[in-house]
Amino acid sequence: MKRLYYIFLLPAFLFLTGVTACGDYDMDEITGLHILTDDEMEEIRRQDSIAEALRQQINADTILRYTVTDYLATTWTNQQLEIDISAIAACFGLTEEEVLAGINQDTGAPTINGFAIQASTHQDYTLNRSTTNGVWGHWFDNNGDAGVYDDLNKLGTLSFFCEWQGQPDDEDENNYFNVGQNPGKFTTPQEWTVYECLSYEDKRVAVAITYILTERGDVTAPVVSTQQLTLNVSPASDYSTTTVQFDADQVMADLGISSMDEIEGYLGVQADGSYAQESNAGVNGFWYDADGTANAYSENSRVYTSYGDEGQAVNEIGIGQYPGNCAVGDSYTIQYGFLANNKIAMMEITVNIVAYQDPETAPEGEPEELTIDVNLQKNYTNDFAPVQVDVRETLRQAFKMTTYQIHSARVSGDLKIYCQTETAEEPEYTADVPGYWLAADGSSAAYADGLCWVSLGTSETELYLYGGNHPENVSPTAGTTLTTTYIITCNGGKVTVNINFQVDPEAAE
């Protein structure tokens, strides 16, 4: 790599020129205050310009430049940015596969280090290879300088992030940056450049990402078609979606596009007839109030739309609910639009909330008391990945209720779980409700002190106990084992669950 060395001779230059220019004066005048000549001032300016030029230089053998344009937003935004891996490989003298393996820190891969260059000083930021959840990437402040999320957030300067999506030995090949902004941080257009960097041996590559925030203009495109859709769903206890189908071929024909990937914008109709353009729910979706108008998420929210989510077909729109806010007999008519070529194809969706058709019959007899042993076992993981055990039939028999009825009791709080000892007081859950983080002796613990957690999960068709280990409080090499007892009560019945939770050492790669 080319390196430049600079020797600043200005002090010596000034001394010599000062003595020469003042030769006709006595020593007192020579050692007094010297008034710089125009030539000397020009030399100082020249030296300053050289120093500034050096400061502005990016220390890299290859610079890849990209621009990401985003809209001012009040929610987190994400855009995928793919970079030229072949150019990086050429600089490093590696194959593209070796570069990706090195970035992702795969086992046996070349040692490629990630860092940032501060935009304000052009100095290396090597404190952290990553300050995001990725193996490479950083949070940035208003000046484009990298830092730690908590520190920048406390200073009020947290602006946006670049996060590499690849992970060690990742088979999904998510090799790209997610670039997004801190919601609500800016209300006027902004532009700045950040530098995500890689080094291998003595070679350096800088990825210069210019991030531009712009304002959205009002949508004035005409509605060229409207499809009437209807969805009947039962009240929901979570935010999961149910899909409604539309004629995607007709939408593409109406908008003059050949693929739904060519959609330029997604719209929700607001109370005054204008369009919400910034997604605030699901994927490319919006929350709607009780009157069916698109609005921000609030206690008045009822349903939301989602389009383009993983697993959805191109002709499906997901409809989700605000849990507990929709009741049997409610009906909401919402409008969701697709924008392309300055035309709008509108979906008018009527969502009817209907009673759940329970396919089960409750077991006969009076509620009873049962006791079961449950073993949970998993390898240590550095996340909260759970394991689960089915307890559906035991709970059905003890409570003499259907799965859906038990699920509803869990949602309402009528089903209760006590840790180790049943009391007259309301349970104080410390994990996913209803459930607890557990100390080594099996007692309820706060998250910060817990080793594992165990909770009851339910749906219209499932009843199960699930749990996982604390990433920091359990040793990845030693694991842990603990036992506890849960007492689950509902409808006059009771189930005593003797739980043994074994966390084995982290699995070898």
Side-chain angles (χ1 to χ4, degrees):
M1 179 178 67
K2 183 177 180 180
R3 290 183 170 84
L4 301 177
Y5 296 88
Y6 299 87
I7 302 174
F8 293 93
L9 302 176
L10 182 57
F13 169 81
L14 292 178
F15 177 77
L16 292 174
T17 56
V19 171
T20 301
C22 301
D24 295 334
Y25 298 97
D26 61 27
M27 186 57 65
D28 290 338
E29 291 176 315
I30 293 175
T31 57
L33 179 63
H34 174 69
I35 298 175
L36 296 174
T37 66
D38 290 343
D39 289 341
E40 292 167 351
M41 291 294 293
E42 181 59 32
E43 178 62 17
I44 291 175
R45 285 191 289 269
R46 189 180 72 83
Q47 293 284 355
D48 287 345
S49 66
I50 292 173
E52 179 63 17
L54 289 173
R55 191 182 71 81
Q56 292 296 331
Q57 285 184 355
I58 297 299
N59 181 12
D61 298 276
T62 297
I63 301 178
L64 307 178
R65 298 188 182 276
Y66 300 91
T67 298
V68 176
T69 301
D70 201 359
Y71 293 110
L72 299 169
T74 57
T75 58
W76 290 104
T77 63
N78 281 294
Q79 293 194 60
Q80 291 188 12
L81 173 64
E82 295 188 1
I83 62 177
D84 189 352
I85 300 299
S86 64
I88 300 174
C91 178
F92 288 167
L94 300 171
T95 66
E96 293 184 36
E97 291 74 18
E98 288 174 326
V99 168
L100 290 172
I103 295 174
N104 296 338
Q105 297 182 299
D106 290 349
T107 304
T111 301
I112 296 178
N113 296 311
F115 62 102
I117 290 178
Q118 305 295 49
S120 65
T121 64
H122 289 192
Q123 298 298 306
D124 288 359
Y125 177 84
T126 56
L127 180 63
N128 301 91
R129 173 189 176 96
S130 173
T131 58
T132 67
N133 291 325
V135 295
W136 175 33
H138 298 84
W139 290 98
F140 293 92
D141 68 9
N142 307 14
N143 298 316
D145 289 345
V148 178
Y149 177 93
D150 288 341
D151 295 339
L152 297 179
N153 198 40
K154 289 175 183 177
L155 293 172
T157 60
L158 183 69
S159 298
F160 73 108
F161 64 91
C162 300
E163 181 180 33
W164 184 255
Q165 292 302 293
Q167 296 294 333
D169 301 306
D170 185 3
E171 297 179 357
D172 294 333
E173 298 182 352
N174 294 320
N175 296 309
Y176 56 86
F177 272 118
N178 262 346
V179 180
Q181 64 180 289
N182 186 2
K185 179 67 178 177
F186 298 106
T187 56
T188 57
Q190 303 282 330
E191 177 179 338
W192 58 92
T193 300
V194 301
Y195 301 92
E196 289 287 2
C197 305
L198 296 170
S199 66
Y200 173 68
E201 296 181 344
D202 65 341
K203 298 293 185 180
R204 292 160 61 101
V205 172
V207 181
I209 304 171
T210 298
Y211 193 70
I212 302 174
L213 283 178
T214 62
E215 294 179 307
R216 299 177 188 270
D218 293 334
V219 175
T220 58
V223 175
V224 296
S225 65
T226 301
Q227 295 186 31
Q228 307 287 340
L229 312 175
T230 301
L231 178 67
N232 297 325
V233 289
S234 58
S237 59
D238 56 32
Y239 291 95
S240 60
T241 61
T242 303
T243 59
V244 60
Q245 294 187 346
F246 66 97
D247 190 338
D249 291 334
Q250 186 63 52
V251 168
M252 289 185 283
D254 294 335
L255 300 181
I257 57 178
S258 58
S259 167
M260 291 300 287
D261 292 336
E262 297 177 44
I263 294 296
E264 299 168 10
Y266 305 87
L267 309 173
V269 179
Q270 301 176 124
D272 61 0
S274 63
Y275 296 110
Q277 303 176 62
E278 181 188 341
S279 174
N280 57 22
V283 177
N284 302 316
F286 305 92
W287 277 105
Y288 295 83
D289 289 347
D291 59 5
T293 60
N295 216 325
Y297 176 85
S298 72
E299 291 297 325
N300 194 42
S301 298
R302 294 297 186 271
V303 298
Y304 72 89
T305 52
S306 182
Y307 182 76
D309 202 357
E310 184 177 357
Q312 278 185 359
V314 295
N315 67 333
E316 292 180 337
I317 299 172
I319 304 295
Q321 299 178 38
Y322 188 124
N325 271 16
C326 299
V328 173
D330 290 347
S331 182
Y332 315 105
T333 299
I334 63 177
Q335 296 182 81
Y336 180 71
F338 298 102
L339 171 68
N341 292 328
N342 199 38
K343 294 184 287 186
I344 299 170
M346 188 65 67
M347 306 294 108
E348 189 171 279
I349 309 169
T350 298
V351 183
N352 299 315
I353 309 300
V354 300
Y356 179 74
Q357 301 299 310
D358 198 335
E360 296 181 11
T361 300
E364 296 181 354
E366 295 297 319
E368 56 184 304
E369 296 186 12
L370 299 175
T371 299
I372 58 172
D373 297 329
V374 167
N375 294 309
L376 293 168
Q377 184 174 6
K378 69 184 293 284
N379 289 103
Y380 168 91
T381 56
N382 62 358
D383 53 22
F384 298 97
V387 290
Q388 68 184 53
V389 172
D390 178 63
V391 293
R392 177 171 168 269
E393 281 307 313
T394 300
L395 300 190
R396 276 172 36 87
Q397 290 300 324
F399 304 148
K400 299 299 186 278
M401 301 168 72
T402 66
T403 302
Y404 176 74
Q405 290 170 335
I406 296 171
H407 165 65
S408 299
R410 194 272 300 169
V411 173
S412 68
D414 291 339
L415 180 149
K416 304 182 189 305
I417 297 181
Y418 301 90
C419 183
Q420 294 188 328
T421 304
E422 183 179 2
T423 65
E425 291 79 24
E426 288 290 311
E428 295 184 3
Y429 303 118
T430 59
D432 293 347
V433 175
Y436 300 90
W437 278 98
L438 302 169
D441 62 359
S443 62
S444 173
Y447 161 78
D449 303 318
L451 298 179
C452 302
W453 96 93
V454 178
S455 295
L456 177 67
T458 71
S459 69
E460 289 84 349
T461 58
E462 293 182 296
L463 304 171
Y464 54 90
L465 286 170
Y466 69 102
N469 66 268
H470 195 296
E472 298 176 1
N473 295 349
V474 173
S475 167
T477 57
T480 191
T481 299
L482 58 80
T483 60
T484 193
T485 299
Y486 277 8
I487 299 97
I488 308 176
T489 65
C490 187
N491 196 37
K494 180 185 298 185
V495 177
T496 300
V497 186
N498 298 315
I499 299 171
N500 182 77
F501 202 150
Q502 179 177 330
V503 179
D504 295 323
E506 187 174 19
E509 295 183 356

